Amino acid sequence: PEVFAPVFRKLKRESTKETQFTYHAGEDFYHPLSGIRAIYEAMDFNDLGENDRIGHATALGIDWNLWRKELNGEIYIRQGEWLDNLVFVYYLITKKGLTTLSELTQVLEDKINILILEVYTNAIPISIYIESWKHRKFCPILLSYDSFEDARISPVFDMEEWGEIKNVRNNPDVADVLLAYHNIDCRKRYDNIIPIESEEIIKEKQFEQVQQYVLAILAKKKIIIETLPTSNVRISHYNDHSQHHVFRWLKWKEDGKSIPEIVVGADDTGIFSTNIFNEYAHIYGQLTRNNFGLANQPMNYILDLKETSEKIRFSAGT
């Protein structure tokens, strides 16, 4: 999301208040935490709000054990990506109120500090690192300029973006880490591949709490999720539609969890050889074959999804 954020936010600033945006995130990942972080960044970096959408959001619904059973207990991931995933969980615990995972705070701090040294070669306070991560939404080209006179002749100059970047530059500790993140030598260390255990630090129940917590954040902001079953089965870790995460979301909602509004979509219909009728048919077919712990009749869920989709569909021309 950070790559597209400057342009995405510019489009939002120059659009009418009624214009709705969608951003696809969290459908493909080495580690599910990477997918959840991408979803959060898509929301935060792109200033998504009421009636905007996140497409896919697979990482917020995928079953932890389904993902793990495809592995041999170990995965390979960029060490900077793993650092940022752990920082993200730490941020949710210490800054966003995910206090049920407070027991992880110390082990996260220890691992984060080790990885910061590996990637950045010097100690950085975690609080400073978090602030630098939150500011990755800004254009790195504009960020590299020291003065307005130099910045304003850049082809990517945007006055509002520059005004926000000035506030970042006023905190040199944060700005230095942010600039280091975009430095080529740092990037090489960031991209260094390391092995980690599939349940390193984060376990199944803890991961599920992260999923539900971020879902609740989206729901509070009234951001909608577009669920795209066939696309997810083709792209993600699923073997067939029975494993799709929409059924977990329906169950969690039935159990009283805070789940965003869900609409059904077909994604790239030509590539995946599908249409919206097929997507509803896949969901209905699985509901008739599997209970998924749900209490109501299959057609009730289809009608609810259809009603939601019609109620909050994009208006013509937006």
Side-chain angles (χ1 to χ4, degrees), residues 68-80:
R68 282 192 71 234
K69 78 176 184 180
E70 294 192 1
L71 312 172
N72 292 318
E74 187 176 70
I75 67 170
Y76 291 86
I77 191 169
R78 296 178 301 164
Q79 66 178 352

Side-chain angles (χ1 to χ4, degrees), residues 252-268:
W252 286 345
K253 183 176 181 180
E254 209 164 80
D255 290 344
K257 305 296 183 184
S258 183
I259 305 296
E261 297 272 32
I262 306 295
V263 299
V264 179
D267 204 19
D268 295 307

Side-chain angles (χ1 to χ4, degrees), residues 240-242 247 281-292 298:
D240 57 61
H241 286 79
S242 69
F247 306 110
H282 281 306
I283 295 171
Y284 178 75
Q286 293 302 328
L287 286 169
T288 61
R289 297 184 193 101
N290 303 280
N291 178 260
F292 300 110

Side-chain angles (χ1 to χ4, degrees), residues 129-314:
Y129 192 89
I130 287 172
E131 286 303 308
S132 73
W133 162 66
K134 289 167 62 181
H135 290 104
R136 289 181 191 172
K137 66 181 181 179
F138 294 120
C139 174
I141 299 173
L142 287 183
L143 186 72
S144 67
Y145 288 108
D146 292 317
S147 68
F148 171 76
E149 289 72 21
D150 292 332
R152 68 185 177 87
I153 62 174
S154 169
V156 299
F157 181 75
D158 178 84
M159 191 64 197
E160 188 160 340
E161 181 92 346
W162 174 253
E164 294 186 70
I165 285 174
K166 275 176 60 181
N167 294 329
V168 181
R169 296 301 296 259
N170 287 335
N171 189 333
D173 292 336
V174 172
D176 286 348
V177 177
L178 198 50
L179 289 168
Y181 170 75
H182 291 293
N183 176 275
I184 189 168
D185 292 329
C186 182
R187 293 300 303 184
K188 288 177 181 177
R189 294 188 295 271
Y190 186 101
D191 291 338
N192 183 45
I193 304 297
I194 61 170
I196 64 169
E197 296 297 317
S198 59
E199 285 206 309
E200 186 166 315
I201 301 179
I202 304 295
K203 308 293 190 295
E204 176 191 358
K205 293 302 180 184
Q206 295 160 334
F207 175 72
E208 192 171 290
Q209 288 180 62
V210 173
Q211 286 180 309
Q212 293 177 357
Y213 199 77
V214 174
L215 283 167
I217 292 173
L218 295 178
K220 185 175 182 180
K221 287 180 170 287
K222 298 183 179 180
I223 294 172
I224 300 148
I225 291 181
E226 300 169 335
T227 192
L228 314 164
T230 296
S231 175
N232 298 150
V233 170
R234 299 286 179 86
I235 290 173
S236 197
H237 295 265
Y238 304 136
N239 294 314
D240 57 61
H241 286 79
S242 69
Q243 298 174 329
H244 195 268
H245 50 273
V246 68
F247 306 110
R248 299 188 83 216
W249 287 339
L250 293 175
K251 180 65 170 68
W252 286 345
K253 183 176 181 180
E254 209 164 80
D255 290 344
K257 305 296 183 184
S258 183
I259 305 296
E261 297 272 32
I262 306 295
V263 299
V264 179
D267 204 19
D268 295 307
T269 55
I271 293 174
F272 297 116
S273 187
T274 189
N275 56 42
I276 193 65
F277 176 84
N278 285 348
E279 301 307 304
Y280 278 103
H282 281 306
I283 295 171
Y284 178 75
Q286 293 302 328
L287 286 169
T288 61
R289 297 184 193 101
N290 303 280
N291 178 260
F292 300 110
L294 297 167
N296 294 316
Q297 293 299 311
M299 187 53 72
N300 290 340
Y301 298 103
I302 297 299
L303 293 174
D304 284 346
L305 289 168
K306 178 177 178 290
E307 181 182 348
T308 301
S309 296
E310 290 178 346
K311 179 179 68 176
I312 53 182
R313 64 184 177 184
F314 280 173

Side-chain angles (χ1 to χ4, degrees), residues 97-133:
L98 184 52
T99 54
T100 55
L101 295 187
S102 295
E103 76 276 5
L104 294 179
T105 302
Q106 189 58 57
V107 68
L108 284 169
E109 286 180 0
D110 293 343
K111 188 61 177 178
I112 287 168
N113 285 324
I114 290 170
L115 289 170
I116 284 175
L117 284 172
E118 290 289 332
V119 176
Y120 293 87
T121 69
N122 62 287
I124 300 168
I126 298 177
S127 60
I128 296 296
Y129 192 89
I130 287 172
E131 286 303 308
S132 73
W133 162 66

Side-chain angles (χ1 to χ4, degrees), residues 89-103:
V89 175
Y90 184 86
Y91 169 73
L92 292 180
I93 295 169
T94 61
K95 303 295 184 182
K96 301 297 287 183
L98 184 52
T99 54
T100 55
L101 295 187
S102 295
E103 76 276 5

